[in-house]
Short mmCIF file of all heavy atoms in Angstrom, two decimals:
data_model
loop_
_atom_site.label_atom_id
_atom_site.label_comp_id
_atom_site.label_asym_id
_atom_site.label_seq_id
_atom_site.Cartn_x
_atom_site.Cartn_y
_atom_site.Cartn_z
N MET A 1 22.42 -16.22 7.15
CA MET A 1 21.69 -14.99 6.98
C MET A 1 21.51 -14.66 5.49
O MET A 1 20.48 -14.15 5.11
CB MET A 1 22.42 -13.87 7.70
CG MET A 1 21.75 -12.55 7.52
SD MET A 1 22.00 -11.60 8.97
CE MET A 1 21.17 -10.15 8.51
N ASN A 2 22.52 -14.96 4.70
CA ASN A 2 22.43 -14.69 3.28
C ASN A 2 21.33 -15.53 2.63
O ASN A 2 20.66 -15.07 1.72
CB ASN A 2 23.78 -14.95 2.63
CG ASN A 2 23.91 -14.24 1.30
OD1 ASN A 2 23.06 -13.45 0.94
ND2 ASN A 2 24.98 -14.53 0.59
N SER A 3 21.15 -16.76 3.09
CA SER A 3 20.08 -17.60 2.55
C SER A 3 18.72 -17.03 2.91
O SER A 3 17.77 -17.14 2.12
CB SER A 3 20.23 -19.03 3.06
OG SER A 3 20.06 -19.08 4.46
N ARG A 4 18.60 -16.41 4.09
CA ARG A 4 17.33 -15.78 4.47
C ARG A 4 17.02 -14.61 3.54
O ARG A 4 15.88 -14.42 3.13
CB ARG A 4 17.39 -15.28 5.90
CG ARG A 4 17.22 -16.31 6.94
CD ARG A 4 17.17 -15.63 8.28
NE ARG A 4 17.00 -16.58 9.34
CZ ARG A 4 17.03 -16.28 10.61
NH1 ARG A 4 17.27 -15.05 10.98
NH2 ARG A 4 16.85 -17.20 11.52
N LEU A 5 18.04 -13.83 3.23
CA LEU A 5 17.85 -12.69 2.34
C LEU A 5 17.43 -13.16 0.95
O LEU A 5 16.52 -12.59 0.35
CB LEU A 5 19.13 -11.86 2.26
CG LEU A 5 19.07 -10.60 1.41
CD1 LEU A 5 18.02 -9.64 1.96
CD2 LEU A 5 20.42 -9.94 1.38
N ASN A 6 18.06 -14.18 0.45
CA ASN A 6 17.69 -14.71 -0.86
C ASN A 6 16.28 -15.28 -0.85
O ASN A 6 15.52 -15.11 -1.80
CB ASN A 6 18.68 -15.79 -1.30
CG ASN A 6 20.02 -15.21 -1.71
OD1 ASN A 6 20.10 -14.04 -2.05
ND2 ASN A 6 21.06 -16.02 -1.64
N GLN A 7 15.92 -15.95 0.23
CA GLN A 7 14.58 -16.51 0.34
C GLN A 7 13.55 -15.39 0.41
O GLN A 7 12.51 -15.44 -0.23
CB GLN A 7 14.49 -17.41 1.58
CG GLN A 7 13.18 -18.14 1.70
CD GLN A 7 13.16 -19.02 2.94
OE1 GLN A 7 13.94 -18.81 3.87
NE2 GLN A 7 12.28 -19.99 2.94
N PHE A 8 13.86 -14.35 1.19
CA PHE A 8 12.95 -13.21 1.30
C PHE A 8 12.81 -12.53 -0.05
O PHE A 8 11.72 -12.17 -0.47
CB PHE A 8 13.51 -12.22 2.33
CG PHE A 8 12.68 -10.98 2.47
CD1 PHE A 8 11.50 -10.99 3.19
CD2 PHE A 8 13.08 -9.79 1.87
CE1 PHE A 8 10.74 -9.84 3.32
CE2 PHE A 8 12.33 -8.65 1.99
CZ PHE A 8 11.15 -8.67 2.72
N SER A 9 13.89 -12.35 -0.74
CA SER A 9 13.88 -11.70 -2.04
C SER A 9 13.12 -12.53 -3.07
O SER A 9 12.40 -11.99 -3.89
CB SER A 9 15.31 -11.48 -2.38
OG SER A 9 15.67 -11.17 -3.48
N ASN A 10 13.26 -13.83 -3.03
CA ASN A 10 12.53 -14.68 -3.96
C ASN A 10 11.04 -14.69 -3.66
O ASN A 10 10.22 -14.74 -4.56
CB ASN A 10 13.07 -16.11 -3.91
CG ASN A 10 14.46 -16.21 -4.51
OD1 ASN A 10 14.84 -15.37 -5.32
ND2 ASN A 10 15.22 -17.22 -4.11
N ASN A 11 10.68 -14.65 -2.39
CA ASN A 11 9.26 -14.68 -2.02
C ASN A 11 8.57 -13.36 -2.33
O ASN A 11 7.37 -13.33 -2.54
CB ASN A 11 9.11 -15.00 -0.53
CG ASN A 11 9.48 -16.43 -0.20
OD1 ASN A 11 9.49 -17.28 -1.08
ND2 ASN A 11 9.80 -16.69 1.04
N HIS A 12 9.31 -12.26 -2.32
CA HIS A 12 8.69 -10.95 -2.49
C HIS A 12 8.99 -10.33 -3.85
O HIS A 12 8.85 -9.13 -4.02
CB HIS A 12 9.14 -10.00 -1.38
CG HIS A 12 8.58 -10.39 -0.05
ND1 HIS A 12 9.17 -11.31 0.75
CD2 HIS A 12 7.46 -9.97 0.58
CE1 HIS A 12 8.45 -11.46 1.85
NE2 HIS A 12 7.41 -10.65 1.77
N SER A 13 9.38 -11.10 -4.83
CA SER A 13 9.58 -10.55 -6.16
C SER A 13 8.22 -10.35 -6.82
O SER A 13 7.25 -11.00 -6.48
CB SER A 13 10.47 -11.46 -7.00
OG SER A 13 9.84 -12.70 -7.20
N LEU A 14 8.17 -9.43 -7.76
CA LEU A 14 6.91 -9.13 -8.43
C LEU A 14 6.56 -10.25 -9.40
O LEU A 14 7.38 -11.08 -9.76
CB LEU A 14 7.03 -7.80 -9.16
CG LEU A 14 7.29 -6.60 -8.23
CD1 LEU A 14 7.48 -5.35 -9.07
CD2 LEU A 14 6.15 -6.42 -7.26
N ASN A 15 5.32 -10.21 -9.86
CA ASN A 15 4.82 -11.26 -10.74
C ASN A 15 5.60 -11.34 -12.05
O ASN A 15 5.69 -12.39 -12.66
CB ASN A 15 3.34 -11.05 -11.04
CG ASN A 15 2.49 -11.28 -9.81
OD1 ASN A 15 2.89 -12.00 -8.91
ND2 ASN A 15 1.33 -10.65 -9.77
N PHE A 16 6.13 -10.23 -12.53
CA PHE A 16 6.84 -10.26 -13.80
C PHE A 16 8.33 -10.51 -13.62
O PHE A 16 9.10 -10.37 -14.56
CB PHE A 16 6.58 -8.99 -14.62
CG PHE A 16 6.80 -7.71 -13.89
CD1 PHE A 16 8.03 -7.11 -13.86
CD2 PHE A 16 5.73 -7.09 -13.23
CE1 PHE A 16 8.23 -5.92 -13.21
CE2 PHE A 16 5.93 -5.91 -12.58
CZ PHE A 16 7.17 -5.32 -12.56
N GLY A 17 8.76 -10.92 -12.45
CA GLY A 17 10.10 -11.43 -12.24
C GLY A 17 11.19 -10.40 -11.98
O GLY A 17 12.36 -10.72 -12.10
N VAL A 18 10.83 -9.18 -11.63
CA VAL A 18 11.84 -8.16 -11.34
C VAL A 18 12.04 -8.12 -9.83
O VAL A 18 11.10 -8.02 -9.06
CB VAL A 18 11.38 -6.78 -11.85
CG1 VAL A 18 12.39 -5.72 -11.49
CG2 VAL A 18 11.17 -6.82 -13.35
N SER A 19 13.29 -8.21 -9.44
CA SER A 19 13.58 -8.22 -8.00
C SER A 19 13.45 -6.82 -7.42
O SER A 19 13.58 -5.82 -8.14
CB SER A 19 14.98 -8.77 -7.76
OG SER A 19 15.95 -7.87 -8.25
N PRO A 20 13.20 -6.70 -6.15
CA PRO A 20 13.08 -5.38 -5.51
C PRO A 20 14.37 -4.56 -5.62
O PRO A 20 14.30 -3.33 -5.70
CB PRO A 20 12.79 -5.71 -4.04
CG PRO A 20 12.27 -7.09 -4.04
CD PRO A 20 12.87 -7.77 -5.21
N GLU A 21 15.51 -5.21 -5.65
CA GLU A 21 16.77 -4.47 -5.78
C GLU A 21 16.84 -3.71 -7.09
O GLU A 21 17.31 -2.58 -7.15
CB GLU A 21 17.97 -5.42 -5.65
CG GLU A 21 18.15 -6.02 -4.28
CD GLU A 21 17.34 -7.29 -4.08
OE1 GLU A 21 16.73 -7.78 -5.06
OE2 GLU A 21 17.30 -7.77 -2.93
N VAL A 22 16.35 -4.34 -8.15
CA VAL A 22 16.36 -3.68 -9.46
C VAL A 22 15.40 -2.50 -9.46
O VAL A 22 15.70 -1.42 -9.97
CB VAL A 22 15.99 -4.69 -10.58
CG1 VAL A 22 15.81 -3.99 -11.91
CG2 VAL A 22 17.05 -5.77 -10.67
N LEU A 23 14.22 -2.69 -8.87
CA LEU A 23 13.25 -1.61 -8.82
C LEU A 23 13.77 -0.43 -8.00
O LEU A 23 13.59 0.72 -8.38
CB LEU A 23 11.93 -2.11 -8.23
CG LEU A 23 11.15 -3.08 -9.11
CD1 LEU A 23 9.92 -3.58 -8.38
CD2 LEU A 23 10.77 -2.42 -10.41
N ILE A 24 14.41 -0.72 -6.89
CA ILE A 24 14.98 0.35 -6.06
C ILE A 24 16.06 1.09 -6.82
O ILE A 24 16.14 2.32 -6.81
CB ILE A 24 15.50 -0.22 -4.73
CG1 ILE A 24 14.32 -0.65 -3.86
CG2 ILE A 24 16.35 0.80 -3.99
CD1 ILE A 24 14.72 -1.38 -2.61
N SER A 25 16.91 0.35 -7.51
CA SER A 25 17.99 1.01 -8.26
C SER A 25 17.43 1.85 -9.41
O SER A 25 18.03 2.86 -9.77
CB SER A 25 18.98 -0.03 -8.78
OG SER A 25 18.37 -0.86 -9.74
N LEU A 26 16.29 1.47 -9.97
CA LEU A 26 15.69 2.26 -11.04
C LEU A 26 15.02 3.52 -10.53
O LEU A 26 14.83 4.47 -11.28
CB LEU A 26 14.67 1.41 -11.81
CG LEU A 26 15.23 0.29 -12.68
CD1 LEU A 26 14.10 -0.53 -13.28
CD2 LEU A 26 16.13 0.86 -13.77
N THR A 27 14.65 3.54 -9.26
CA THR A 27 13.98 4.72 -8.71
C THR A 27 14.94 5.72 -8.08
O THR A 27 14.53 6.83 -7.76
CB THR A 27 12.94 4.31 -7.66
OG1 THR A 27 13.59 3.59 -6.61
CG2 THR A 27 11.84 3.48 -8.26
N VAL A 28 16.19 5.37 -7.92
CA VAL A 28 17.13 6.27 -7.25
C VAL A 28 17.40 7.52 -8.09
O VAL A 28 17.35 8.64 -7.59
CB VAL A 28 18.45 5.53 -6.93
CG1 VAL A 28 19.53 6.50 -6.52
CG2 VAL A 28 18.22 4.51 -5.84
N ILE A 29 17.67 7.36 -9.37
CA ILE A 29 18.01 8.50 -10.22
C ILE A 29 16.83 9.47 -10.34
O ILE A 29 17.03 10.68 -10.16
CB ILE A 29 18.52 8.03 -11.59
CG1 ILE A 29 19.88 7.37 -11.41
CG2 ILE A 29 18.61 9.20 -12.57
CD1 ILE A 29 20.48 6.81 -12.66
N PRO A 30 15.61 9.03 -10.60
CA PRO A 30 14.50 9.99 -10.63
C PRO A 30 14.29 10.69 -9.28
O PRO A 30 13.97 11.88 -9.25
CB PRO A 30 13.28 9.14 -10.99
CG PRO A 30 13.82 7.97 -11.70
CD PRO A 30 15.16 7.71 -11.07
N LEU A 31 14.49 9.97 -8.20
CA LEU A 31 14.34 10.58 -6.89
C LEU A 31 15.40 11.67 -6.67
O LEU A 31 15.09 12.76 -6.18
CB LEU A 31 14.46 9.52 -5.79
CG LEU A 31 14.33 10.03 -4.36
CD1 LEU A 31 12.94 10.59 -4.11
CD2 LEU A 31 14.65 8.93 -3.39
N LEU A 32 16.63 11.41 -7.06
CA LEU A 32 17.68 12.42 -6.94
C LEU A 32 17.40 13.62 -7.84
O LEU A 32 17.65 14.76 -7.45
CB LEU A 32 19.04 11.80 -7.28
CG LEU A 32 19.59 10.79 -6.26
CD1 LEU A 32 20.88 10.19 -6.78
CD2 LEU A 32 19.79 11.44 -4.91
N LEU A 33 16.86 13.38 -9.03
CA LEU A 33 16.51 14.48 -9.91
C LEU A 33 15.40 15.35 -9.31
O LEU A 33 15.44 16.58 -9.41
CB LEU A 33 16.08 13.95 -11.28
CG LEU A 33 17.20 13.40 -12.15
CD1 LEU A 33 16.61 12.77 -13.41
CD2 LEU A 33 18.20 14.47 -12.49
N VAL A 34 14.43 14.72 -8.69
CA VAL A 34 13.35 15.48 -8.04
C VAL A 34 13.90 16.31 -6.89
O VAL A 34 13.53 17.48 -6.73
CB VAL A 34 12.23 14.52 -7.56
CG1 VAL A 34 11.28 15.21 -6.61
CG2 VAL A 34 11.48 13.95 -8.74
N LEU A 35 14.77 15.74 -6.09
CA LEU A 35 15.35 16.48 -4.97
C LEU A 35 16.18 17.66 -5.46
O LEU A 35 16.07 18.77 -4.93
CB LEU A 35 16.20 15.56 -4.10
CG LEU A 35 15.45 14.53 -3.27
CD1 LEU A 35 16.42 13.60 -2.57
CD2 LEU A 35 14.56 15.22 -2.26
N PHE A 36 16.98 17.44 -6.48
CA PHE A 36 17.81 18.51 -7.01
C PHE A 36 16.95 19.61 -7.64
O PHE A 36 17.18 20.79 -7.43
CB PHE A 36 18.80 17.96 -8.04
CG PHE A 36 19.65 19.02 -8.67
CD1 PHE A 36 20.66 19.62 -7.95
CD2 PHE A 36 19.42 19.42 -9.98
CE1 PHE A 36 21.44 20.61 -8.53
CE2 PHE A 36 20.19 20.41 -10.56
CZ PHE A 36 21.20 21.00 -9.83
N SER A 37 15.96 19.21 -8.43
CA SER A 37 15.12 20.20 -9.09
C SER A 37 14.28 20.98 -8.07
O SER A 37 13.99 22.15 -8.29
CB SER A 37 14.24 19.55 -10.13
OG SER A 37 13.34 18.64 -9.53
N SER A 38 13.90 20.36 -6.97
CA SER A 38 13.14 21.10 -5.96
C SER A 38 14.02 22.17 -5.31
O SER A 38 13.55 23.26 -4.99
CB SER A 38 12.56 20.15 -4.91
OG SER A 38 13.60 19.57 -4.14
N LYS A 39 15.30 21.88 -5.11
CA LYS A 39 16.20 22.90 -4.56
C LYS A 39 16.37 24.05 -5.55
O LYS A 39 16.36 25.22 -5.16
CB LYS A 39 17.56 22.29 -4.23
CG LYS A 39 17.55 21.47 -2.97
CD LYS A 39 18.96 21.06 -2.60
CE LYS A 39 18.92 20.32 -1.27
NZ LYS A 39 20.24 20.11 -0.73
N VAL A 40 16.53 23.74 -6.82
CA VAL A 40 16.67 24.78 -7.83
C VAL A 40 15.39 25.61 -7.92
O VAL A 40 15.43 26.84 -8.00
CB VAL A 40 17.03 24.15 -9.20
CG1 VAL A 40 16.95 25.17 -10.32
CG2 VAL A 40 18.40 23.52 -9.14
N PHE A 41 14.24 24.95 -7.89
CA PHE A 41 12.96 25.64 -7.95
C PHE A 41 12.78 26.56 -6.74
O PHE A 41 12.29 27.68 -6.87
CB PHE A 41 11.82 24.60 -8.02
CG PHE A 41 10.47 25.20 -8.24
CD1 PHE A 41 10.15 25.81 -9.44
CD2 PHE A 41 9.52 25.13 -7.24
CE1 PHE A 41 8.89 26.36 -9.64
CE2 PHE A 41 8.27 25.67 -7.44
CZ PHE A 41 7.95 26.28 -8.63
N ASP A 42 13.21 26.10 -5.57
CA ASP A 42 13.13 26.92 -4.36
C ASP A 42 14.00 28.16 -4.50
O ASP A 42 13.58 29.26 -4.13
CB ASP A 42 13.57 26.09 -3.15
CG ASP A 42 13.46 26.86 -1.85
OD1 ASP A 42 12.41 27.50 -1.62
OD2 ASP A 42 14.43 26.82 -1.06
N GLN A 43 15.20 28.02 -5.03
CA GLN A 43 16.08 29.17 -5.22
C GLN A 43 15.48 30.15 -6.23
O GLN A 43 15.56 31.37 -6.05
CB GLN A 43 17.45 28.70 -5.70
CG GLN A 43 18.24 27.98 -4.63
CD GLN A 43 19.54 27.40 -5.16
OE1 GLN A 43 19.78 27.40 -6.37
NE2 GLN A 43 20.37 26.91 -4.26
N ILE A 44 14.87 29.64 -7.28
CA ILE A 44 14.24 30.51 -8.28
C ILE A 44 13.10 31.29 -7.65
O ILE A 44 12.95 32.50 -7.88
CB ILE A 44 13.77 29.69 -9.49
CG1 ILE A 44 14.97 29.19 -10.29
CG2 ILE A 44 12.83 30.51 -10.39
CD1 ILE A 44 14.62 28.20 -11.37
N LEU A 45 12.27 30.63 -6.85
CA LEU A 45 11.16 31.31 -6.20
C LEU A 45 11.64 32.37 -5.23
O LEU A 45 11.06 33.45 -5.12
CB LEU A 45 10.27 30.31 -5.48
CG LEU A 45 9.35 29.47 -6.36
CD1 LEU A 45 8.54 28.50 -5.49
CD2 LEU A 45 8.42 30.35 -7.15
N GLN A 46 12.71 32.09 -4.49
CA GLN A 46 13.26 33.09 -3.58
C GLN A 46 13.80 34.30 -4.34
O GLN A 46 13.61 35.44 -3.92
CB GLN A 46 14.36 32.48 -2.72
CG GLN A 46 13.84 31.58 -1.64
CD GLN A 46 14.96 31.00 -0.79
OE1 GLN A 46 16.13 31.24 -1.02
NE2 GLN A 46 14.58 30.23 0.22
N GLU A 47 14.45 34.06 -5.46
CA GLU A 47 14.97 35.16 -6.28
C GLU A 47 13.84 36.01 -6.83
O GLU A 47 13.91 37.24 -6.83
CB GLU A 47 15.83 34.60 -7.41
CG GLU A 47 16.51 35.64 -8.24
CD GLU A 47 17.59 36.40 -7.50
OE1 GLU A 47 18.18 35.84 -6.55
OE2 GLU A 47 17.82 37.56 -7.85
N ILE A 48 12.78 35.37 -7.31
CA ILE A 48 11.63 36.11 -7.82
C ILE A 48 10.99 36.94 -6.71
O ILE A 48 10.61 38.09 -6.91
CB ILE A 48 10.61 35.14 -8.45
CG1 ILE A 48 11.15 34.57 -9.76
CG2 ILE A 48 9.27 35.83 -8.70
CD1 ILE A 48 10.31 33.47 -10.35
N SER A 49 10.90 36.36 -5.54
CA SER A 49 10.32 37.07 -4.40
C SER A 49 11.15 38.30 -4.04
O SER A 49 10.60 39.38 -3.79
CB SER A 49 10.24 36.12 -3.20
OG SER A 49 9.84 36.80 -2.05
N GLN A 50 12.45 38.15 -4.01
CA GLN A 50 13.31 39.29 -3.69
C GLN A 50 13.23 40.37 -4.76
O GLN A 50 13.19 41.57 -4.44
CB GLN A 50 14.76 38.83 -3.52
CG GLN A 50 14.98 38.03 -2.26
CD GLN A 50 16.38 37.45 -2.18
OE1 GLN A 50 17.17 37.56 -3.10
NE2 GLN A 50 16.69 36.80 -1.06
N GLN A 51 13.17 39.98 -6.01
CA GLN A 51 13.09 40.96 -7.09
C GLN A 51 11.75 41.70 -7.06
O GLN A 51 11.69 42.90 -7.30
CB GLN A 51 13.30 40.29 -8.45
CG GLN A 51 14.69 39.77 -8.66
CD GLN A 51 15.74 40.85 -8.56
OE1 GLN A 51 15.56 41.98 -9.02
NE2 GLN A 51 16.85 40.53 -7.92
N SER A 52 10.66 41.00 -6.78
CA SER A 52 9.36 41.67 -6.71
C SER A 52 9.30 42.61 -5.52
O SER A 52 8.68 43.67 -5.58
CB SER A 52 8.23 40.64 -6.64
OG SER A 52 8.29 39.93 -5.43
N GLU A 53 9.96 42.27 -4.44
CA GLU A 53 10.03 43.16 -3.28
C GLU A 53 10.81 44.43 -3.63
O GLU A 53 10.44 45.53 -3.22
CB GLU A 53 10.69 42.45 -2.10
CG GLU A 53 10.68 43.23 -0.82
CD GLU A 53 11.29 42.44 0.33
OE1 GLU A 53 11.29 41.20 0.28
OE2 GLU A 53 11.75 43.09 1.27
N GLU A 54 11.88 44.29 -4.40
CA GLU A 54 12.66 45.45 -4.81
C GLU A 54 11.84 46.37 -5.71
O GLU A 54 11.96 47.59 -5.63
CB GLU A 54 13.94 45.01 -5.55
CG GLU A 54 15.00 44.44 -4.64
CD GLU A 54 15.56 45.49 -3.69
OE1 GLU A 54 15.79 46.64 -4.11
OE2 GLU A 54 15.75 45.14 -2.52
N ILE A 55 11.03 45.79 -6.56
CA ILE A 55 10.21 46.60 -7.46
C ILE A 55 9.20 47.42 -6.68
O ILE A 55 8.93 48.58 -7.00
CB ILE A 55 9.49 45.70 -8.50
CG1 ILE A 55 10.50 45.14 -9.48
CG2 ILE A 55 8.40 46.45 -9.23
CD1 ILE A 55 9.93 44.10 -10.42
N LEU A 56 8.64 46.84 -5.63
CA LEU A 56 7.56 47.49 -4.89
C LEU A 56 8.05 48.34 -3.71
O LEU A 56 7.24 48.83 -2.93
CB LEU A 56 6.57 46.44 -4.39
CG LEU A 56 5.86 45.67 -5.51
CD1 LEU A 56 5.00 44.58 -4.92
CD2 LEU A 56 5.04 46.60 -6.37
N ARG A 57 9.36 48.51 -3.56
CA ARG A 57 9.86 49.37 -2.49
C ARG A 57 9.45 50.81 -2.75
O ARG A 57 9.38 51.27 -3.87
CB ARG A 57 11.38 49.29 -2.41
CG ARG A 57 11.83 48.07 -1.67
CD ARG A 57 13.28 47.98 -1.45
NE ARG A 57 14.01 49.23 -1.41
CZ ARG A 57 15.31 49.31 -1.51
NH1 ARG A 57 16.02 48.23 -1.68
NH2 ARG A 57 15.93 50.47 -1.45
N GLY A 58 9.21 51.55 -1.68
CA GLY A 58 8.72 52.92 -1.80
C GLY A 58 9.69 53.89 -2.41
O GLY A 58 9.29 54.87 -3.04
N ASP A 59 10.98 53.71 -2.24
CA ASP A 59 11.94 54.68 -2.76
C ASP A 59 12.07 54.61 -4.28
O ASP A 59 12.62 55.51 -4.90
CB ASP A 59 13.30 54.50 -2.10
CG ASP A 59 13.94 53.16 -2.39
OD1 ASP A 59 13.22 52.24 -2.77
OD2 ASP A 59 15.18 53.04 -2.23
N ARG A 60 11.56 53.59 -4.89
CA ARG A 60 11.65 53.47 -6.35
C ARG A 60 10.35 53.89 -7.04
O ARG A 60 10.29 53.96 -8.26
CB ARG A 60 11.96 52.02 -6.72
CG ARG A 60 13.21 51.50 -6.11
CD ARG A 60 14.23 51.22 -7.16
NE ARG A 60 15.50 50.86 -6.54
CZ ARG A 60 16.13 49.76 -6.77
NH1 ARG A 60 15.64 48.89 -7.60
NH2 ARG A 60 17.28 49.52 -6.19
N LEU A 61 9.31 54.12 -6.26
CA LEU A 61 8.05 54.53 -6.86
C LEU A 61 8.10 56.01 -7.21
O LEU A 61 8.78 56.79 -6.54
CB LEU A 61 6.89 54.26 -5.89
CG LEU A 61 6.62 52.78 -5.58
CD1 LEU A 61 5.54 52.67 -4.52
CD2 LEU A 61 6.21 52.05 -6.82
N PRO A 62 7.39 56.43 -8.23
CA PRO A 62 7.41 57.85 -8.60
C PRO A 62 6.67 58.69 -7.56
O PRO A 62 5.73 58.23 -6.90
CB PRO A 62 6.69 57.88 -9.94
CG PRO A 62 5.83 56.67 -9.94
CD PRO A 62 6.57 55.65 -9.13
N SER A 63 7.09 59.92 -7.42
CA SER A 63 6.40 60.84 -6.50
C SER A 63 5.12 61.33 -7.15
O SER A 63 5.11 61.71 -8.33
CB SER A 63 7.29 62.03 -6.18
OG SER A 63 8.47 61.59 -5.55
N LEU A 64 4.05 61.31 -6.39
CA LEU A 64 2.77 61.79 -6.90
C LEU A 64 2.57 63.23 -6.47
O LEU A 64 2.78 63.59 -5.31
CB LEU A 64 1.63 60.92 -6.36
CG LEU A 64 1.67 59.45 -6.77
CD1 LEU A 64 0.54 58.68 -6.10
CD2 LEU A 64 1.57 59.30 -8.27
N ILE A 65 2.18 64.06 -7.40
CA ILE A 65 1.94 65.47 -7.11
C ILE A 65 0.44 65.66 -6.98
O ILE A 65 -0.32 65.50 -7.95
CB ILE A 65 2.53 66.35 -8.22
CG1 ILE A 65 4.02 66.10 -8.34
CG2 ILE A 65 2.23 67.82 -7.94
CD1 ILE A 65 4.66 66.79 -9.53
N PHE A 66 0.00 66.02 -5.78
CA PHE A 66 -1.42 66.25 -5.53
C PHE A 66 -1.70 67.73 -5.64
O PHE A 66 -0.91 68.56 -5.17
CB PHE A 66 -1.80 65.73 -4.14
CG PHE A 66 -1.77 64.23 -4.03
CD1 PHE A 66 -0.73 63.59 -3.38
CD2 PHE A 66 -2.79 63.48 -4.56
CE1 PHE A 66 -0.69 62.22 -3.27
CE2 PHE A 66 -2.77 62.09 -4.45
CZ PHE A 66 -1.71 61.47 -3.81
N PRO A 67 -2.83 68.08 -6.20
CA PRO A 67 -3.16 69.50 -6.29
C PRO A 67 -3.52 70.07 -4.91
O PRO A 67 -4.02 69.36 -4.04
CB PRO A 67 -4.40 69.52 -7.21
CG PRO A 67 -4.94 68.13 -7.14
CD PRO A 67 -3.80 67.23 -6.83
N ASP A 68 -3.22 71.33 -4.73
CA ASP A 68 -3.52 72.01 -3.46
C ASP A 68 -4.99 72.38 -3.45
O ASP A 68 -5.46 73.14 -4.29
CB ASP A 68 -2.63 73.23 -3.32
CG ASP A 68 -2.72 73.83 -1.94
OD1 ASP A 68 -3.32 73.20 -1.05
OD2 ASP A 68 -2.17 74.93 -1.76
N ILE A 69 -5.75 71.82 -2.53
CA ILE A 69 -7.20 72.02 -2.47
C ILE A 69 -7.55 73.45 -2.15
O ILE A 69 -8.50 74.01 -2.68
CB ILE A 69 -7.83 71.05 -1.44
CG1 ILE A 69 -7.61 69.61 -1.92
CG2 ILE A 69 -9.31 71.32 -1.27
CD1 ILE A 69 -8.11 68.55 -0.97
N SER A 70 -6.75 74.10 -1.29
CA SER A 70 -7.05 75.48 -0.92
C SER A 70 -6.94 76.43 -2.13
O SER A 70 -7.70 77.39 -2.27
CB SER A 70 -6.15 75.96 0.21
OG SER A 70 -4.80 75.93 -0.22
N LYS A 71 -6.05 76.16 -3.03
CA LYS A 71 -5.90 77.00 -4.23
C LYS A 71 -7.04 76.74 -5.19
O LYS A 71 -7.50 77.61 -5.91
CB LYS A 71 -4.59 76.73 -4.92
CG LYS A 71 -3.40 77.24 -4.19
CD LYS A 71 -2.13 76.97 -4.97
CE LYS A 71 -0.92 77.47 -4.22
NZ LYS A 71 0.34 77.15 -4.93
N LEU A 72 -7.54 75.50 -5.23
CA LEU A 72 -8.65 75.18 -6.13
C LEU A 72 -9.95 75.81 -5.68
O LEU A 72 -10.81 76.14 -6.49
CB LEU A 72 -8.80 73.66 -6.25
CG LEU A 72 -7.68 72.91 -6.98
CD1 LEU A 72 -7.95 71.41 -6.90
CD2 LEU A 72 -7.59 73.35 -8.41
N GLU A 73 -10.15 75.96 -4.36
CA GLU A 73 -11.40 76.53 -3.84
C GLU A 73 -11.49 78.03 -4.09
O GLU A 73 -12.57 78.59 -4.14
CB GLU A 73 -11.52 76.23 -2.35
CG GLU A 73 -11.76 74.76 -2.06
CD GLU A 73 -11.80 74.47 -0.57
OE1 GLU A 73 -11.53 75.36 0.23
OE2 GLU A 73 -12.11 73.31 -0.23
N LYS A 74 -10.39 78.72 -4.24
CA LYS A 74 -10.41 80.17 -4.42
C LYS A 74 -10.59 80.54 -5.84
O LYS A 74 -10.92 80.43 -6.78
CB LYS A 74 -9.12 80.80 -3.94
CG LYS A 74 -8.97 80.67 -2.47
CD LYS A 74 -7.69 81.33 -2.03
CE LYS A 74 -7.51 81.16 -0.54
NZ LYS A 74 -6.33 81.74 -0.06
#
């Protein structure tokens, strides 16, 4: 079975002589960084969303004083 794997690996290597194992090992770290950064980005977006919701809550808005129309007509 090991000879089959070596034969498969030799037949499917790229033209510039880099084996698939090397290419896979080179892509693992960037892939992990993307996954980690996406989780951090998601947490940041959730925090921003919660903070913007707090800003727009009704109890924090100023009270508006409307003039009394009946007093203005007299």
Side-chain angles (χ1 to χ4, degrees):
M1 177 148 180
N2 200 8
S3 64
R4 282 185 180 174
L5 182 61
N6 287 338
Q7 186 179 20
F8 177 78
S9 167
N10 290 336
N11 290 339
H12 291 85
S13 64
L14 298 176
N15 291 335
F16 51 89
V18 177
S19 68
E21 292 87 7
V22 172
L23 291 176
I24 290 172
S25 66
L26 290 175
T27 59
V28 168
I29 291 178
L31 179 65
L32 291 176
L33 288 174
V34 166
L35 289 175
F36 178 73
S37 64
S38 68
K39 284 188 176 190
V40 170
F41 187 68
D42 183 47
Q43 290 174 351
I44 290 171
L45 284 179
Q46 285 181 359
E47 185 68 28
I48 290 172
S49 173
Q50 289 174 355
Q51 292 301 320
S52 66
E53 186 177 336
E54 286 294 318
I55 289 172
L56 297 175
R57 279 185 26 196
D59 63 340
R60 303 246 174 124
L61 294 175
S63 299
L64 298 176
I65 301 173
F66 291 104
D68 190 10
I69 296 177
S70 62
K71 289 182 181 177
L72 291 175
E73 290 177 353
K74 293 182 182 179

